[in-house]
Amino acid sequence: MVTKVERPGAQEWVPEGADVEQLREAATSCHGCELWEPATQVVFSAGSPTARLALVGEQPGDQEDQRGIPFVGPAGRLLQKAVAEAGIDLATTYVTNAVKHFRFTQTAPGTRRIHASPDVGHITACRPWLAAELVQVDPDVVVCLGATAAKALLPKDFRVTKHRGTLFTLPTSRGEKTFLGTIHPSAVLRTPEAERDAAYAALVADLRVAGSALR
Ligand code: URA
Ligand code: SF4
């Protein structure tokens, strides 16, 4: 039997005009989609609420879910290294995810939780949080890490493989902003070893392009 999933979306939990700290607090009670229930906690954002550069990932992973902080697992460590190598001071960035709860599959309680990509319904449901935080932070440059973040923020025809690493401007409620899409750091980790260094270097190169838009 297929049960219909009720997804009211996050909007009714998003307080109007709230700053990042108030959004973070409000997100702890979000039931905008079903992902809140099996997850440990909501993972909101990290970094500076006055950042000029925002980095948007997919969703928290296993470690992020347990600690409540984005990008603290293996992909996060790779991202931190890449950001630094691209000449960007991580302390001046705002880091968040398109989806705020960890989606996973698990065969039995206590067994390893396997990452499951959020689908379009989750991205849409969670988008009011992302929209509200980006309005508050008001960064000049937004980097979408991977296809999920791109789906949340970039035009429908954007393809990471085809359009990565190029800056473009899009209208937002806070005026024109610069966007760039690139691969997700976990895609680098999944790349076969022989090509991993090149995949990492390409991520750094894309981040460098994003950083160049700040100067
Ligand atoms: N991958 C993401 O996209 N975000 C995180 O916070 C961790 C891993
Ligand atoms: Fe709310 Fe987003 Fe979590 Fe779904 S994933 S419950 S919309 S915070």
Side-chain angles (χ1 to χ4, degrees):
M1 191 182 80
V2 179
T3 39
K4 194 174 176 308
V5 185
E6 290 299 332
R7 278 183 198 139
Q11 195 63 61
E12 65 188 90
W13 284 271
V14 180
E16 217 172 302
D19 67 20
V20 172
E21 280 318 305
Q22 290 164 333
L23 291 170
R24 184 189 313 288
E25 175 57 33
T28 60
S29 44
C30 185
H31 290 183
C33 75
E34 77 286 7
L35 295 184
W36 69 272
E37 204 167 0
T40 309
Q41 60 189 318
V42 71
V43 178
F44 203 71
S45 65
S48 166
T50 58
R52 291 180 60 209
L53 185 118
L55 296 159
V56 183
E58 183 195 59
Q59 64 167 0
D62 180 77
Q63 295 190 29
E64 290 80 12
D65 168 82
Q66 291 175 53
R67 291 181 54 191
I69 308 168
F71 283 112
V72 290
R77 283 192 288 278
L78 187 133
L79 178 64
Q80 285 181 29
K81 189 163 165 269
V83 164
E85 251 174 72
I88 299 164
D89 179 2
L90 194 70
T92 67
T93 65
Y94 181 80
V95 181
T96 194
N97 285 303
V99 172
K100 307 300 196 241
H101 278 101
F102 178 38
R103 187 183 194 208
F104 59 91
T105 56
Q106 194 174 33
T107 47
T111 59
R112 201 160 85 85
R113 303 184 301 173
I114 312 291
H115 166 279
S117 294
D119 64 30
V120 173
H122 302 116
I123 299 169
T124 305
C126 212
R127 203 176 176 287
W129 292 116
L130 183 60
E133 60 190 327
L134 290 179
V135 163
Q136 285 300 313
V137 176
D138 193 25
D140 298 329
V141 181
V142 180
V143 176
C144 295
L145 300 164
T148 297
K151 273 183 208 153
L153 293 173
L154 302 182
K156 247 188 147 67
D157 61 356
F158 181 91
R159 293 291 172 274
V160 174
T161 44
K162 216 167 145 186
H163 304 117
R164 64 178 291 181
T166 25
L167 297 167
F168 49 96
T169 53
L170 291 174
T172 75
S173 62
R174 307 246 2 208
E176 291 230 318
K177 300 284 176 197
T178 301
F179 288 82
L180 178 141
T182 184
I183 56 163
H184 192 283
S186 57
V188 176
L189 294 173
R190 284 195 307 268
T191 303
E193 205 178 334
E195 292 137 50
R196 200 173 302 144
D197 286 353
Y200 174 76
L203 172 63
V204 172
D206 289 352
L207 291 170
R208 202 178 285 284
V209 172
S212 73
L214 295 170
R215 288 181 273 270

